[in-house]
């Protein structure tokens, strides 16, 4: 079992030791804010000229809930906030998740004053009892330095501002404690908009490889609109029933990738319970966070297939106006199919219902006679 070593010497040097590092310079695009006082979950902080979006608060909420559950389970929590911006994520990990230590890093040393002012709301401490440290290094460098010094973290938070997250994954995984959490987000909204749906939180475990029954390939047929899942053993036999031939040109194949449940229902339930305990959701108030957690819980149904079906596509194939989403889901459930809304796309359904049945149901709901598609 790996043990956590004392914090590496480089962490105690606040200045940037490499003047050649290119700092991220936020542009005046209406997303970052000039220096002003903000408030989130009762915590006041400054944004300075850092990249900041109020709309990303749900993502920060999820990170804090996961961090707190980890702390409750393991009795320890060391966090590395690799691209901390103004430091609000780091502050919340300290104040709300009760982190033992947070390394707040931002490549732009011009943000130092703002980060320090925000984190000063928590007593920094001294020596090995230090609660937080601020550095100004390239994210990959700070991750690599920690790894080389065997300075591992229980949660690594990488908010990539829309950058290619693959640039950081290898060094982040190297620096993560076994059973630790890697939280990857995209503040500019690409992930929540469905453009980067592969960016989610994951846990790194030590042990034997998991069975590969949920690790395979997904196909989409442009001809009939159906999606199917195929195992590695079936890779050379991929086809669609609508064509009856192997290697149909209408098929798009993606993979290998995870094809099992999108979330852990047990874990999401714990997050919901904690959010209710903290008063973030419940009490008759339908908050954005509450809606998101409920959608994620619904999406955890193991009967649901990978991906989702857009109602616009169903309507287009059926050549009708799209029925209300809730009405469509209710009709599908009455026929025995599993359904949930997708948190990735607002007008989409996750389901095990074939496209042909979706088309038939949508026509019936609109009073259109069904016929072969």
């Amino acid at each position: 079992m790996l043990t956590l070593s004392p914090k590496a010497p480089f962490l105690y040097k606040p200045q940037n030791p490499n003047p050649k590092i290119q700092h991220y310079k936020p542009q005046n695009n209406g997303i970052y804010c000039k220096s002003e006082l903000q408030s989130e979950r009762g915590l006041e902080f400054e944004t300075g000229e850092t990249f900041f979006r109020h709309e990303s608060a749900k993502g920060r909420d999820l990170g804090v809930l996961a961090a707190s559950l980890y702390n409750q389970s393991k009795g320890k929590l060391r966090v590395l906030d690799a691209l901390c911006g103004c430091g609000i994520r780091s502050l919340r990990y300290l104040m709300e998740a009760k982190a033992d230590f947070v390394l707040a890093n931002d490549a732009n040393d011009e943000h130092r004053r703002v980060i320090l002012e925000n984190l000063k709301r928590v007593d920094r401490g001294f020596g090995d009892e230090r609660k937080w440290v601020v550095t100004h290094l390239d994210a990959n460098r700070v991750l690599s330095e920690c790894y080389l010094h065997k300075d591992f973290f229980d949660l690594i938070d990488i908010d990539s501002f829309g950058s290619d997250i693959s640039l950081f994954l290898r060094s982040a995984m190297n620096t993560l404690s076994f059973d630790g959490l890697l939280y990857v987000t995209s503040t500019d909204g690409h992930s929540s908009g469905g453009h980067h749906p592969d960016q989610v939180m994951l846990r790194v475990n030590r042990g034997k490889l998991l069975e590969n029954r949920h690790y395979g390939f997904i196909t989409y047929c442009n001809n009939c609109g159906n999606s199917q899942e195929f195992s590695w053993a079936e890779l050379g036999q991929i086809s669609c029933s609508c064509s009856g031939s192997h290697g149909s040109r209408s098929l798009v194949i993606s993979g290998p990738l995870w094809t099992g449940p999108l979330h852990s229902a047990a874990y999401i339930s714990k997050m919901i319970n904690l959010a209710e305990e903290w008063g973030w959701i419940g009490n008759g108030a339908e908050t954005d966070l509450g809606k998101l957690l409920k959608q994620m819980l619904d999406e955890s149904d193991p009967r649901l297939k990978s991906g989702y079906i857009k109602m616009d596509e169903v309507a287009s194939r059926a050549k009708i106006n799209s029925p209300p989403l809730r009405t469509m889901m209710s009709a599908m459930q009455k026929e025995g199919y599993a359904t949930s809304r997708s948190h990735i796309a607002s007008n989409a359904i996750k389901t095990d219902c074939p496209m042909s049945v979706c088309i038939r149901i949508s026509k019936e709901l609109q009073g259109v006679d069904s016929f072969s598609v």
Side-chain angles (χ1 to χ4, degrees):
M1 188 71 177
L2 291 171
T3 56
L4 298 176
S5 63
K7 290 176 276 295
F10 87 96
L11 298 182
Y12 298 99
K13 297 180 180 179
Q15 72 275 14
N16 184 354
N18 187 352
K20 294 182 180 180
I21 289 180
Q22 297 297 312
H23 297 313
Y24 169 76
K25 297 289 187 180
Q27 302 298 314
N28 187 6
N29 56 10
I31 296 179
Y32 83 91
C33 305
K34 290 291 184 181
S35 185
E36 58 179 287
L37 200 62
Q38 307 285 340
S39 177
E40 188 167 292
R41 294 295 181 193
L43 295 175
E44 290 189 339
F45 60 98
E46 293 182 53
T47 58
E49 295 189 358
T50 62
F51 188 97
F52 176 77
R53 294 180 79 244
H54 289 287
E55 295 82 356
S56 300
K58 291 195 297 293
R60 293 187 283 271
D61 286 343
L62 295 177
V64 169
L65 289 171
S68 184
L69 288 174
Y70 185 96
N71 201 353
Q72 293 176 18
S73 172
K74 306 292 184 181
K76 65 184 181 73
L77 178 63
R78 300 184 75 244
V79 177
L80 195 163
D81 188 358
L83 299 103
C84 72
C86 66
I88 179 56
R89 289 172 177 263
S90 296
L91 178 62
R92 293 190 61 182
Y93 286 130
L94 287 164
M95 296 286 287
E96 297 170 327
K98 309 300 181 186
D100 301 305
F101 175 76
V102 171
L103 169 55
N105 178 75
D106 193 274
N108 193 341
D109 54 15
E110 293 177 6
H111 298 162
R112 184 171 183 79
R113 183 199 66 79
V114 170
I115 299 170
L116 289 175
E117 285 299 318
N118 290 333
L119 295 189
K120 279 179 182 177
R121 289 162 173 75
V122 177
D123 183 27
R124 177 158 38 183
F126 300 94
D128 290 339
E129 300 301 317
R130 187 168 288 191
K131 295 283 293 184
W132 53 269
V133 166
V134 177
T135 57
H136 300 287
L137 301 171
D138 173 81
N140 266 322
R141 175 169 177 178
V142 75
L143 289 163
S144 298
E145 291 274 8
C146 288
Y147 167 71
L148 291 172
H149 288 87
K150 298 188 184 327
D151 194 20
F152 303 103
F153 288 81
D154 302 309
L155 187 149
I156 297 178
D157 186 318
I158 303 178
D159 183 1
S160 65
F161 308 107
S163 303
D164 182 0
I165 196 60
S166 63
L167 299 173
F168 311 107
L169 281 181
R170 180 179 294 275
S171 52
M173 288 185 178
N174 287 340
T175 315
L176 197 63
S177 301
F178 283 112
D179 210 31
L181 301 175
L182 175 57
Y183 190 34
V184 180
T185 57
S186 180
T187 295
D188 68 351
H190 277 75
S191 293
S192 57
H195 303 291
H196 295 160
D198 54 321
Q199 299 176 16
V200 297
M201 177 177 279
L202 58 88
R203 168 167 274 162
V204 176
N205 289 308
R206 165 183 276 177
K208 64 180 181 179
L209 292 175
L210 298 174
E211 57 180 317
N212 62 5
R213 67 187 179 96
H214 288 316
Y215 187 56
F217 299 84
I218 298 175
T219 66
Y220 171 78
C221 180
N222 286 304
N223 183 41
C224 67
N226 273 328
S227 294
Q228 298 181 77
E229 297 174 6
F230 291 88
S231 67
W232 281 88
E234 299 170 315
L235 185 55
Q237 307 166 19
I238 291 179
S239 66
C240 183
S241 59
C242 76
S243 63
S245 60
H246 297 290
S248 169
R249 292 183 179 180
S250 66
L251 284 179
V252 177
I253 304 173
S254 301
L257 42 74
W258 174 256
T259 59
L262 191 57
H263 315 284
S264 164
Y267 195 79
I268 297 297
S269 295
K270 290 180 180 178
M271 296 180 78
I272 291 174
N273 291 336
L274 183 58
E276 289 176 343
E277 179 184 327
W278 286 354
W280 289 4
I281 63 175
N283 299 320
E286 190 73 6
T287 64
D288 288 343
L289 177 64
K291 292 177 184 177
L292 176 60
L293 287 170
K294 185 181 183 306
Q295 281 189 357
M296 294 169 73
L297 186 61
D298 292 341
E299 289 176 321
S300 303
D301 189 333
R303 297 175 298 166
L304 297 174
K305 298 295 185 181
S306 302
Y308 50 77
I309 295 177
K310 292 183 177 180
M311 288 301 298
D312 290 343
E313 181 182 358
V314 176
S316 176
R317 290 181 178 274
K319 296 180 173 57
I320 60 171
N321 292 326
S322 179
L325 187 140
R326 289 183 181 274
T327 303
M328 184 72 177
M329 289 177 61
S330 177
M332 295 162 75
Q333 290 166 358
K334 287 179 181 178
E335 296 202 14
Y337 294 104
T339 66
S340 83
R341 299 189 67 161
S342 169
H343 83 276
I344 297 294
S346 60
N347 194 33
I349 299 175
K350 288 185 65 65
T351 183
D352 58 349
C353 181
M355 177 62 78
S356 59
V357 178
C358 290
I359 292 172
R360 172 180 59 79
I361 292 175
S362 66
K363 286 183 174 181
E364 292 173 353
L365 290 174
Q366 297 293 65
V368 178
D369 290 335
S370 297
F371 50 87
S372 59
V373 180

